[in-house]
């Protein structure tokens, strides 16, 4: 079962925009060493929106190869075209992922019926690969209803949701509506503590890119029910959680990783490096946490 601290891993790039395969493999090793429970490859934080189709599949393949079975790899294969999402899911399945994470279709604003049919079609075509729904209304505009999620949970390959709705009451509602064993992962670091207290199974985390051991320890304590100690770690992580979203992710987290010497501070347009005032805020958080 997938639980605990899952990193929404960045896709490292060189100054010319080419994916830095050597840095990617080293990041995977770093997460294995630090106790990360699973790696999400080519999600939002992995700049899925600006990777070309062939690159998208290759980043997933290279991540699976680097992991060597030491941790599960979840492929980000969502799209606002059902046919494209199916194609990407099949590519990820061929690469050997443990599951796929598919965002609710963005921009074209499907109805709830359209959302159901979209994921139903992917479920049917997924080659048996477990499917996780990614519900993030701030980016997709559309919010999947609890009722539709409940219907989808009864399909054979749909196993859970990454929930970035900011509505903590949904954890209990979705638990009641969905089949037994349906997994719920926080999609927001800042609300992960309350999400876990309400019955969550883990977090797909941006902060875990830079503080994987603390994020892992936090999740382990939550899963053990030791919320007093978990809260102490959450409080320590909180300044980083907040600072990493001052500007659009993954620009801030790539800056921090570059300061740690793990990647170059390179993104693809229309994303750009963070402003100087944001760097100064992050530099203080980095210093306070003794990251470098």
């Amino acid at each position: 079962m997938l639980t605990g601290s899952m990193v929404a891993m960045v896709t490292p790039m060189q100054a010319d925009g080419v994916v830095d395969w050597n840095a990617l493999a080293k990041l995977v090793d770093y997460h294995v060493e630090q106790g990360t429970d699973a790696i999400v490859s080519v999600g939002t934080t992995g700049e899925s929106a600006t990777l070309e189709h062939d690159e998208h599949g290759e980043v997933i393949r290279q991540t699976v190869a680097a992991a060597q079975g030491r941790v599960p790899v979840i492929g980000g294969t969502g799209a606002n075209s059902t046919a494209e999402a199916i194609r990407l899911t099949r590519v990820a399945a061929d690469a050997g992922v443990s599951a796929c994470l598919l965002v609710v279709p963005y921009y074209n604003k499907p109805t709830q019926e359209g959302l159901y049919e979209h994921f139903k079609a992917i479920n049917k075509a997924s080659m048996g690969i477990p499917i996780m729904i990614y519900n993030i209304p701030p980016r997709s505009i559309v919010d999947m209803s609890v009722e539709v999620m409940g219907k989808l949970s009864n399909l054979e390959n749909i196993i859970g949701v990454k929930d970035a709705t900011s509505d903590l009451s949904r954890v209990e509602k979705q638990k009641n509506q969905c089949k037994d064993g349906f997994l719920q992962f926080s999609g927001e670091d800042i609300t992960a503590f309350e999400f876990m207290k309400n019955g969550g199974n883990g977090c797909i985390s941006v902060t875990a890119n830079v503080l994987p051991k603390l994020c892992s320890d936090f999740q382990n304590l939550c899963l053990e029910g030791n919320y007093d100690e978990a809260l102490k770690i959450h409080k320590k992580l909180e300044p980083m959680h907040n600072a990493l979203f001052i500007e659009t992710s993954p620009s801030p987290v790539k800056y921090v990783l570059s300061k740690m010497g793990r990647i170059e501070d390179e993104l693809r347009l229309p994303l750009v490096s963070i402003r100087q005032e944001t760097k100064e805020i992050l530099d203080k958080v980095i210093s306070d946490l003794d990251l470098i």
Side-chain angles (χ1 to χ4, degrees):
M1 182 183 291
L2 297 167
T3 58
S5 180
M6 305 184 183
V7 63
M9 198 171 80
V10 301
T11 300
M13 297 172 182
Q14 299 171 346
D16 58 3
V18 174
V19 176
D20 189 336
W21 303 112
N22 184 52
L24 185 146
K26 288 181 178 179
L27 284 179
V28 172
D29 287 340
Y30 176 56
H31 284 293
V32 172
E33 292 162 4
Q34 296 292 307
T36 297
D37 291 299
I39 294 170
V40 175
S41 175
V42 200
T44 307
T45 312
E47 294 177 76
S48 57
T50 52
L51 289 180
E52 296 177 5
H53 288 178
D54 289 345
E55 286 180 310
H56 192 126
E58 189 60 24
V59 171
I60 292 173
R61 279 190 288 270
Q62 293 278 356
T63 304
V64 171
Q68 297 180 328
R70 294 174 292 173
V71 293
V73 174
I74 300 164
T77 59
N80 59 347
S81 159
T82 304
E84 182 181 350
I86 288 171
R87 186 189 68 78
L88 289 171
T89 300
R90 286 175 169 169
V91 168
D94 287 340
V97 296
S98 297
C100 287
L101 176 68
L102 290 102
V103 69
V104 167
Y106 45 88
Y107 185 75
N108 45 18
K109 297 173 68 173
T111 63
Q112 293 299 312
E113 181 182 359
L115 292 180
Y116 177 76
E117 293 297 332
H118 172 79
F119 281 97
K120 180 182 175 183
I122 295 164
N123 172 78
K124 184 177 179 180
S126 69
M127 303 164 59
I129 289 295
I131 299 297
M132 292 168 55
I133 300 161
Y134 182 13
N135 194 26
I136 181 167
R139 284 186 183 261
S140 67
I141 305 302
V142 176
D143 181 4
M144 180 181 287
S145 72
V146 174
E147 291 74 23
V148 167
M149 194 171 296
K151 285 176 63 180
L152 287 171
S153 77
N154 290 311
L155 301 180
E156 59 182 340
N157 297 313
I158 296 184
I159 64 164
V161 60
K162 175 184 178 183
D163 188 310
T165 63
S166 299
D167 181 358
L168 292 168
S169 71
R170 286 184 65 134
V171 185
E172 183 65 23
K173 292 175 184 176
Q174 287 164 179
K175 184 177 181 181
N176 292 335
Q177 192 75 36
C178 296
K179 69 183 178 187
D180 289 345
F182 186 75
L183 301 170
Q184 297 193 64
F185 300 99
S186 170
E188 297 179 326
D189 284 296
I190 197 63
T191 60
F193 177 73
E194 292 297 332
F195 191 97
M196 293 301 291
K197 282 189 72 176
N198 287 358
N201 301 103
C203 180
I204 297 177
S205 167
V206 174
T207 303
N209 278 282
V210 297
L211 291 164
K213 180 65 165 59
L214 274 181
C215 288
S216 176
D217 290 346
F218 165 74
Q219 282 295 326
N220 288 337
L221 288 167
C222 287
L223 291 168
E224 292 166 6
N226 190 345
Y227 291 107
D228 290 340
E229 292 301 314
L231 182 58
K232 293 176 184 177
I233 297 180
H234 177 71
K235 291 294 185 183
K236 186 173 183 178
L237 289 167
E238 211 166 29
M240 184 64 82
H241 291 336
N242 288 319
L244 289 179
F245 288 91
I246 293 173
E247 294 188 37
T248 303
S249 185
S251 297
V253 73
K254 278 198 157 183
Y255 172 75
V256 177
L257 283 167
S258 73
K259 294 286 286 188
M260 295 170 68
R262 297 198 173 275
I263 65 169
E264 299 299 319
D265 184 19
E266 299 291 342
L267 303 103
R268 287 191 182 172
L269 290 171
L271 296 179
V272 294
S273 297
I274 57 176
R275 300 184 300 269
Q276 181 59 36
E277 52 264 41
T278 305
K279 290 180 180 179
E280 291 170 4
I281 294 169
L282 279 164
D283 287 344
K284 184 178 186 310
V285 177
I286 290 167
S287 176
D288 290 345
L289 290 168
D290 293 324
L291 271 180
I292 57 175

